[in-house]
Amino acid sequence: MPSDITPPADDATPADDAALADDAARTILVSGLLLVRDRRVLMVRSRGRDVLYLPGGKRERGETAVDAVVREAREETAIRLTPADVVAFGTVTELAHDQAPGTVVRMDLFLVRPDADREGGTVHGQEPVASAEVDSTAWVTSADASRCPPAGVETLRLLVAAGLVD
């Protein structure tokens, strides 16, 4: 994990109702997937949105951050993961895109391990497919930062600093 980012919160701790309710008005808690291939990271364009996001989304009540990223990866891209396939990369906190003024997104980032294997192939060999929740998928580099919301821009910066993405 790069030294200039905040480590993720304890991803083994389920989201608790009181914390979610307290933060609901100003902070959106999400998990984001970092699937890197050929120095590019997978992003998606959600239905009705004009920007690219990491596959991922909000934690459901009682769900850990890592469980949320595994679930969201499957729902948005048909990429099948287990919690053992990912490693915590960090957390970014930025102003939320297309939300009420002052709302921030706190995104726990999980990197798909390069050695994440599956019976009959590897996680990295799975091809992402846009689901009912997303219009399209794209492999992006830092050159695509203008197409991303603030949390995506910061994530791209961190991936470049870690030497993972161009």
Side-chain angles (χ1 to χ4, degrees):
M1 175 172 34
S3 62
D4 62 340
I5 63 176
T6 306
D10 177 7
D11 62 54
T13 305
D16 107 4
D17 292 351
L20 289 175
D22 183 47
D23 288 341
R26 61 188 176 281
T27 302
I28 301 170
L29 305 175
V30 301
S31 295
L33 181 71
L34 302 174
L35 177 57
V36 177
R37 289 186 188 161
D38 300 320
R39 302 190 56 77
R40 296 175 180 270
V41 66
L42 178 66
M43 290 200 173
V44 298
R45 189 173 58 77
S46 297
R47 297 221 185 275
R49 298 290 183 121
D50 59 347
V51 297
L52 294 171
Y53 296 93
L54 291 170
K58 296 176 187 172
R59 288 166 59 179
E60 296 177 354
R61 290 192 189 331
E63 187 175 50
T64 66
V66 72
D67 288 340
V69 82
V70 167
R71 175 183 52 77
E72 289 283 353
R74 184 184 64 255
E75 290 175 0
E76 293 183 356
T77 67
I79 297 289
R80 298 211 172 265
L81 301 168
T82 69
D85 294 327
V86 297
V87 61
F89 182 81
T91 298
V92 296
T93 303
E94 295 289 333
L95 286 175
H97 176 261
D98 204 22
Q99 299 291 325
T103 302
V104 298
V105 62
R106 189 179 87 205
M107 182 166 48
D108 292 326
L109 301 170
F110 295 91
L111 180 68
V112 176
R113 294 183 11 213
D115 61 345
D117 288 325
R118 274 280 173 279
E119 192 173 309
T122 66
V123 168
H124 292 276
Q126 295 181 58
E127 285 305 316
V129 177
S131 73
E133 295 182 11
V134 299
D135 279 336
S136 60
T137 63
W139 294 98
V140 304
T141 68
S142 61
D144 299 297
S146 65
R147 299 170 58 198
C148 300
V153 172
E154 179 61 9
T155 300
L156 286 171
R157 186 190 73 74
L158 296 172
L159 288 168
V160 168
L164 296 172
V165 170
D166 290 329

